[in-house]
Amino acid sequence: LKLQFLYFIGYMMSKMLAVVVMATCVGAQDWKDWLKNFGTDQYVYPSWVEEQRKACKCENLQCHTTYQPQPGELSYCVAKQWMLQHLPAKDMHYLPPAVSVTGNNMMDDTLAFAMMADKAAPFSSQTPLDMKLAYILPHSDLMESVQNWRPLFFAKFFTLAQQATSTMDALSTFVAPNKFTQWTEFPAVGMPKSEFNYSVQWHSSTSPPVTSPYDFLAYGYGSCSAWATLLSYTCRSVGIPARVVGSPCWNSGDFAGLSTENTNVTKCWNGGVNGAEGPVGGGYLYNHNWVEVWDSEKGEWNFINVPPGTAEPNQGWQCTNFSRENGCASGQASHASLDHPIFAYTWSKAQDMPDQKQGGEVLSGQTLRLTNGEAVSPLVWSPHLQDPMGNPISHQLRFVNRTNFYRTK
């Protein structure tokens, strides 16, 4: 019996080793082959992506396929159904063209390149599928302009993270030093390196004109919102779940307290404008955004301030001496409260995963009110953003309430 037991243990260990070796081989295969002819009109998705894409049929936001994904795998049809059911209304009728002639639109690129990162990243098996869907797939957070950033970001930055063993390890390959801002230093696969050195820079008070990644690159500078989107989407492009998080209005100085007692709080949420002409922006935009990333080894959210000064998580001027039990010991985030919340932007819906996993309750921008009853938008740099028909874009927003995570307990 003892010999049989030892044989059984040996057999199981050999099977586990085979799985590990297979996973290693999948992760270590030459992902650069998937980018042959990238950046030209001859580029096509790798054959395994095309097979899944053609097998997926969708109707009325429901998708079906004959492909059977492995547990935890980010497969095309599962990802497409999730996207269709969570896409902001403003993006339902038009998305930019795909980078492949065979693609229908940007959604095909989003799915294909997210799948590539998932298949090639050694750490992808550590991340639950629901976390991949909610915080790797989305192409926007702050209702910024829709841009097809993922293909190029994957082609540029995956080479940095390809040997990482966890999401936090991957993050450290392009943060502090901030390689993700050194745009010409890391050419896309198959493209020549520029003879010029170009890096984007920090500059305060630049939203709303500079929010999305390509706006940031075009202007050459950006404040916290631009840095947060660029870092968040760089993370997503290499397979790290990430989201933009921030406070629309800090609870201090001229804006401290509740809106029922301090009228400046309303001005803070409206960029200085409150139904009348007057000064805007500047000191009235008393907000800050940063990034949260999913720690695949510990199964929890960590925060990274922007511009990142360290790859060590949970450090920043807005939140010092942080602990999960007590929150921020000091800093602006420690004073988070009613009328001064901290939100993490999400496409996820309340029923998608437990609040504990989200890190808080999922809220809708349609119901956001100050304590004085005023309807407000967390996009304080564009507080009156509407579609051409006059419908508030903020009503399409969802966000996780992270106030309790940061405030001093």
Side-chain angles (χ1 to χ4, degrees), residues 267 270-274 276-285 381 383-384:
K267 293 183 179 180
N270 286 277
V273 178
N274 186 22
E277 294 184 3
V280 299
Y284 287 107
L285 287 175
W381 53 91
H384 310 294

Side-chain angles (χ1 to χ4, degrees), residues 298-344:
K298 297 181 179 179
E300 59 190 20
W301 288 103
N302 292 325
F303 71 86
I304 300 291
N305 194 29
V306 294
T310 176
E312 289 296 318
N314 305 325
Q315 298 184 37
W317 58 263
Q318 80 275 35
C319 177
T320 60
N321 298 318
F322 172 83
S323 72
R324 295 183 188 278
E325 297 75 23
N326 301 313
C328 307
S330 59
Q332 294 279 21
S334 69
H335 306 299
S337 66
L338 288 173
D339 290 352
H340 306 278
I342 294 178
F343 293 144

